[in-house]
């Protein structure tokens, strides 16, 4: 049921914003937006994007992962926050939007303000639920959750995470050495492609 709702919302964003701007290619590991830069919105056309905050100590807190049809950056843009980052986990294609693009789309879709409110409420609720669940988990379980969120099927059908150990450590809020130890202990190092 939840997947169907998410698929419907993704289809709506793709329909509302179809052809607004040209798609842009973002290589794996590159930032789509970074702290301090003016907030902007990205509609994901292909790939996986990790949205996160960085603490003053450099530790990162993953807020969510976005996939095809997801909108990232809307909440920080509306809040005027410049502390968020979004990183392409795999090679990704996005459309970078401004509030002017959204306002133009609202002229075609009078229900757009309600869609935006639903979008922000849904991802905020989901992010808080995820944080509540993961804060008390052991490091190995947090690493496993992040691997599950970003793994894609390979040519033989087995899941492969296209991510370095350092980027996985950043996503899980731990050190690379801890990720290496946990993956080695569970013989999961081959699951990483980089």
């Amino acid at each position: 049921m939840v997947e169907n709702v998410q698929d419907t919302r993704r289809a709506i964003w793709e329909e509302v914003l179809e052809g607004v701007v040209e798609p842009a290619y973002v290589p794996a590991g590159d930032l789509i937006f970074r702290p301090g830069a003016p907030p902007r919105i990205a509609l994901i056309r292909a790939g996986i994007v990790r949205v996160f905050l960085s603490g003053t100590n450099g530790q990162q807190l993953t807020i969510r992962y976005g996939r095809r049809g997801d909108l990232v950056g809307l909440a920080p843009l509306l809040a005027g926050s410049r502390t968020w980052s979004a990183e392409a986990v795999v090679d990704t294609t996005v459309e970078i939007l401004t509030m002017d693009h959204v306002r133009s789309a609202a002229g075609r879709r009078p229900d757009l303000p309600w869609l935006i409110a639903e979008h922000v409420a849904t991802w905020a609720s989901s992010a808080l639920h995820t944080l509540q669940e993961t804060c008390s988990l052991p490091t190995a379980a947090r690493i496993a959750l992040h691997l599950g969120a970003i793994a894609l099927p390979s040519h033989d059908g087995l899941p492969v995470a296209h991510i370095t150990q350092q980027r996985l450590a950043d996503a899980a809020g731990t050190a690379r050495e801890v990720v290496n130890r946990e993956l080695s202990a569970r013989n999961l190092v081959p699951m990483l492609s980089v």
Side-chain angles (χ1 to χ4, degrees):
M1 171 81 174
V2 172
E3 277 300 315
N4 291 338
V5 171
Q6 288 175 342
D7 289 344
T8 300
R9 285 194 180 115
R10 289 175 178 155
I12 288 170
W13 283 120
E14 288 187 336
E15 174 195 326
V16 167
L17 301 170
E18 181 66 40
V20 172
V21 294
E22 289 297 313
Y25 171 79
V26 184
D30 279 9
L31 291 176
I32 297 166
F33 52 86
R34 65 185 74 241
R40 49 193 196 162
I41 307 166
L43 175 62
I44 304 168
R45 290 298 186 181
I48 302 172
V49 174
R50 179 174 74 100
V51 179
F52 63 96
L53 295 168
S54 297
T56 55
N57 63 356
Q59 189 172 16
Q60 297 177 0
L61 174 65
T62 300
I63 304 293
R64 67 181 286 235
Y65 289 95
R67 294 179 181 270
R68 178 187 166 93
D70 284 337
L71 215 55
V72 294
L74 185 58
L77 179 72
L78 293 174
S81 174
R82 294 181 179 224
T83 59
W84 299 49
S85 298
E87 168 191 52
V89 175
V90 297
D91 292 345
T92 298
T93 303
V94 297
E95 289 182 9
I96 302 297
L97 309 163
T98 65
M99 277 310 290
D100 288 337
H101 293 122
V102 174
R103 285 185 190 101
S104 173
R108 297 185 309 275
R109 287 289 298 257
D111 61 336
L112 189 58
W114 182 254
L115 292 173
I116 290 171
E118 278 185 334
H119 172 83
V120 172
T122 300
W123 84 253
S125 176
S126 176
L128 289 173
H129 180 72
T130 300
L131 287 174
Q132 183 269 330
E133 280 186 347
T134 58
C135 283
S136 60
L137 289 177
T139 303
R142 287 197 325 269
I143 292 168
L145 281 173
H146 287 278
L147 279 173
I150 62 175
L152 298 169
S154 66
H155 66 279
D156 59 5
L158 295 174
V160 175
H162 302 274
I163 192 167
T164 64
Q165 287 186 9
Q166 182 60 57
R167 288 178 49 227
L168 180 58
D170 291 341
T174 190
R176 187 194 56 75
E177 295 78 14
V178 173
V179 168
N180 186 1
R181 181 176 64 240
E182 294 295 340
L183 294 176
S184 296
R186 288 161 180 75
N187 198 28
L188 292 174
V189 174
M191 185 179 181
L192 301 182
S193 71
V194 238

